[in-house]
Amino acid sequence: MVNDILGTDVVVQIGIIVRNIEKAVEEYSKIFGVEKPEIIITDVYEKAKTQYKGNPTPARAKLAFFKNFKNVEIELIEPDDNPSTWREFLDTHGEGLHHLGFLVKGTQKIMEDFKKNGIEIAQQGYYTGGMYTYLDSFEKIKFIIELLENF
């Protein structure tokens, strides 16, 4: 059961890859009748320590977080051209659902449990206050699992 491995059964984030974040923010804001969120850029490698498929990458992305929904936030992601799970997704699948994010504790143990099921780490990095881990689950379940662990 998923919550036995994750320690939660609550999806906290839906990540969507877009080609043009400014246009996407405009559309989402209009359709949902909410204010436009700030568009931010992920940290540089020296701070984020981003690893993609086991190798360092300078990949960055523009992000916008819609936090207007009671149980989940919608994250829009526009990747740069550097190697990343975001860029790979856009190049392979186009725009669309990239990941479901779960707020977890004990990322290392969770990753080990997923590895037993043949699901490896696709990308991992840090943000102010925590770390994220994308699991390479797309082929098995048609979306990426994101582990979010705040420190």
Side-chain angles (χ1 to χ4, degrees):
M1 200 158 67
V2 171
N3 66 351
D4 285 346
I5 293 173
L6 292 170
T8 183
D9 60 358
V10 179
V11 174
V12 296
Q13 186 180 82
I14 299 170
I16 300 169
I17 298 290
V18 299
R19 290 189 195 283
N20 181 326
I21 199 162
E22 288 81 7
K23 181 180 175 189
V25 163
E26 191 72 39
E27 288 298 325
Y28 275 67
S29 297
K30 186 172 22 170
I31 287 168
F32 292 116
V34 296
E35 284 187 39
K36 289 187 247 178
E38 175 185 10
I39 296 171
I40 63 170
I41 299 175
T42 58
D43 288 325
V44 296
Y45 176 79
E46 289 73 24
K47 187 169 183 183
K49 306 287 188 233
T50 306
Q51 299 282 315
Y52 173 62
K53 296 187 175 181
N55 297 306
T57 180
R60 298 180 75 190
K62 291 181 183 177
L63 309 176
F65 296 92
F66 285 88
K67 299 180 180 188
N68 312 83
F69 305 95
K70 184 176 180 180
N71 298 320
V72 68
E73 78 181 4
I74 296 175
E75 176 186 23
L76 301 181
I77 307 162
E78 179 190 325
D80 67 10
D81 291 330
N82 291 299
S84 69
T85 185
W86 310 306
R87 172 50 51 193
E88 178 184 12
F89 187 94
L90 186 59
D91 290 347
T92 305
H93 306 287
E95 296 179 298
L97 174 67
H98 178 258
H99 68 265
L100 296 182
F102 298 86
L103 191 60
V104 301
K105 293 200 180 300
T107 297
Q108 188 63 40
K109 168 79 169 84
I110 294 168
M111 291 183 316
E112 290 168 11
D113 288 342
F114 274 104
K115 189 172 183 176
K116 291 174 190 171
N117 291 308
I119 298 174
E120 301 282 341
I121 297 170
Q123 182 170 312
Q124 191 171 51
Y126 294 88
Y127 54 86
T128 302
M131 70 180 290
Y132 71 91
T133 304
Y134 289 123
L135 300 176
D136 196 7
S137 56
F138 189 86
E139 290 304 315
K140 292 183 182 284
I141 59 175
K142 305 308 175 214
F143 65 87
I144 292 169
I145 296 169
E146 181 183 33
L147 309 176
L148 297 161
E149 184 164 9
N150 295 328
F151 307 132

